[in-house]
């Protein structure tokens, strides 16, 4: 399979049942809720998805290393999908929020398809808060790399070795000369 044939991963392809279960065991679980099943299986503890939706809360989806990701305010992240644009965090319990995808997610996926997997990154145009989004330098705010400052005072010259004194005869242990 060629690199460009590897699709951007979505929640329904990322969160899968453990090998001990049938591959279709989670087919009836909505993709946004699979993270909860996966989290339970990985962490070996019970967690329950939130019961309600956070009114007005939304999270921008982005492509990170070839996966659709939603970032929680707590710093955690989950793989998301445009097929079920909801997000809830099993780490901190952040309730269900709407995930904002581009109008045509396939175009964003096509934009990154030819890149190496670790370079398959894309950010929503309206998301100005993405912590890892590359940003152009701001005039007056980001001066760029610091220049080598000129020294405040001249650097002292290195001392030159003095001419050695002519050798003088030295008395030895028995008063003799060397």
């Amino acid at each position: 399979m060629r690199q460009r044939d590897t699709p951007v991963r979505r929640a329904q392809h990322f969160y899968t049942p453990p090998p001990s279960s049938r591959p279709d065991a989670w087919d009836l679980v909505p993709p946004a809720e699979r993270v909860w099943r996966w989290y339970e299986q990985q962490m070996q503890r019970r967690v329950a998805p939130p019961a309600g939706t956070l009114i007005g809360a939304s999270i921008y989806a982005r492509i990170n290393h070839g996966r659709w990701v939603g970032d929680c305010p707590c710093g955690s992240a989950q793989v998301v999908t445009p097929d079920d644009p909801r997000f809830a965090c099993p780490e901190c319990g952040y309730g269900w929020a709407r995930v904002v995808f581009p109008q045509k997610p396939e175009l964003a996926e096509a934009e990154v398809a030819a890149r190496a997997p670790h370079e398959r990154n894309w950010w929503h145009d309206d998301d100005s808060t993405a912590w890892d989004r590359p940003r152009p330098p701001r005039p007056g705010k980001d001066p760029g790399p610091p220049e080598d400052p000129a020294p405040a005072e001249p650097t002292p010259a290195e001392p030159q070795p003095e001419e050695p004194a002519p050798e003088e005869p030295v008395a030895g242990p028995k008063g003799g000369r060397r």
Side-chain angles (χ1 to χ4, degrees):
M1 178 183 279
R2 295 180 316 181
Q3 181 173 307
R4 74 181 56 196
D5 296 334
T6 304
V8 173
R9 298 190 71 191
R10 297 179 175 195
Q12 61 266 39
H13 305 116
F14 186 84
Y15 299 117
T16 57
S20 59
S21 300
R22 294 180 21 189
D24 63 350
W26 294 357
D27 282 358
L28 297 179
V29 178
E33 295 176 23
R34 290 183 187 188
V35 66
W36 294 86
R37 293 272 179 101
W38 183 86
Y39 191 84
E40 282 184 342
Q41 187 264 324
Q42 293 295 317
M43 296 300 175
Q44 294 294 305
R45 65 178 181 161
R46 280 275 189 221
V47 290
T53 301
L54 298 172
I55 298 172
S58 61
I59 294 174
Y60 285 101
R62 63 186 174 94
I63 297 176
N64 172 260
H65 298 283
R67 305 163 299 183
W68 279 108
V69 174
D71 294 310
C72 182
C74 79
S76 180
Q78 282 80 47
V79 178
V80 294
T81 180
D83 300 330
D84 186 0
R86 297 180 299 147
F87 175 95
C89 182
E91 292 284 332
C92 71
Y94 188 76
W96 290 108
R98 181 177 66 96
V99 180
V100 179
F101 284 89
Q103 289 288 343
K104 296 186 178 184
E106 310 80 40
L107 294 179
E109 292 173 355
E111 183 181 326
V112 301
R115 299 180 196 163
H118 68 282
E119 294 176 352
R120 289 186 183 178
N121 300 314
W122 176 93
W123 295 267
H124 197 284
D125 289 337
D126 297 336
D127 186 8
S128 61
T129 62
W131 64 272
D132 64 342
R133 182 180 199 145
R135 290 174 171 56
R138 297 177 295 173
K141 297 280 184 182
D142 299 327
E147 294 181 20
D148 225 3
E153 54 186 61
T155 307
E158 289 290 321
Q160 299 298 322
E162 296 180 19
E163 290 291 322
E167 284 195 32
E168 297 179 17
V170 177
K174 294 184 180 177
R177 298 188 183 254
R178 279 191 197 178

